[in-house]
Amino acid sequence: MDGRYCHALVVKAMSEVLSGAKVVCFGEALIDMLSNKVNGDTTTEHETFTQFAGGAPANVSVALAKLGGNSYFCGMLGRDPFGDFLHHSLLEHGVKTDYVLLTDKAKTALAFVSLDQQGERTFSFYRPPSADLCFTRDDFQMQWFEQTAIFHFCSNSLTEPGIQEATQAGIALAKKNHSLVSFDVNLRKNLWSQQGDPFGVIWSVMSGVDVLKVSKEELEFLCANQTSEQTIDRLLQCGCQLIVISDGGNPLRWITSKMQGEIDPPQVNMVDATAAGDAFVGGLLFKLQCFFENKGDLVALLNHKSELCNILRFACACGAHAASLYGAFPSLPSLSSLGALTREIEYDIT
């Protein structure tokens, strides 16, 4: 049987299986303006920028949709050409935009992105003001959380008092509807005002988080005067059931209250790390969504070390795929494009 036909059958089966439970990704969608000039390059005479759709939770929603998940993006876009482009891009990649609102109060946010020779990024944000920050707690509707398996957000929707209040309201509604809450810290310090307190604000939402993804550097930030082990214990006491610590191409560390381990990510030629972490999270949430639909809840998964490790290997493959391509949405994988990166992973979608 033709491999493409087999893949089509797999995606069709998944879409039928996942037609009920939703993953809602909340926060910012913005425009990544990617420079043609590598940091430190003195030979490129004229710097130009290419427009890409981006924003961490938007990237996660697209990663999930491209893999075949039931993905919803929730947030506010500006009623402007950039907002139109983002809305179209989300729809084009299979994300449901029922929970996307439009505003005339502010323009869609921009992020100018420069890369170094290793593909690592430098961001310059034009935010605030921006449309995504105009979303308020009253914009949420209770019915959005019906049949929502997972509610996902990151710290970029905590940077200002209004959007922080909205995010906390979303977490509360998710908990009220027995949804799992996923948090990717994804800290961008230059988005916080000098009066802002990312440390205190980020810790203030931890009691509502079930699945936490942090980078090694973000964990160090959360430690303050504690050791990493003390901080991990504190996170577990807050209620985090699964903690995932990324470190670029180095081994991924995962921790639960009963177990911990490491996963070696696939090695690729990294050209653009912009969406690698978001692709990882999208892959993780996709596999969690599949597991919840077919086998049980997070507690059941955390009692199966081999299955959890396979899920994390799959997520690592998604992150590696994104790092090997330019842009955010274009670099995010589908099941077919992952190819050899997942060839040795024995995972079951049924």
Side-chain angles (χ1 to χ4, degrees), residues 28-32 52-56 58 77 86 108-111 125 127 156:
E28 85 279 6
L30 51 77
I31 301 295
D32 286 328
F52 289 96
L77 299 177
L86 286 168
T108 302
L110 303 178
F125 292 97
R127 173 187 185 263
N156 293 349

Side-chain angles (χ1 to χ4, degrees), residues 13-14 17 287 290-291 293-295 307 347-350:
M14 279 193 170
V17 167
K287 295 303 296 178
C290 292
F291 185 88
E293 282 284 335
N294 296 290
K295 297 180 181 177
E307 186 143 24
Y347 61 93
D348 180 10
I349 64 169
T350 61

Side-chain angles (χ1 to χ4, degrees), residues 293-305:
E293 282 284 335
N294 296 290
K295 297 180 181 177
D297 56 16
L298 186 60
V299 174
L301 175 62
L302 297 184
N303 287 324
H304 292 83
K305 183 176 181 178

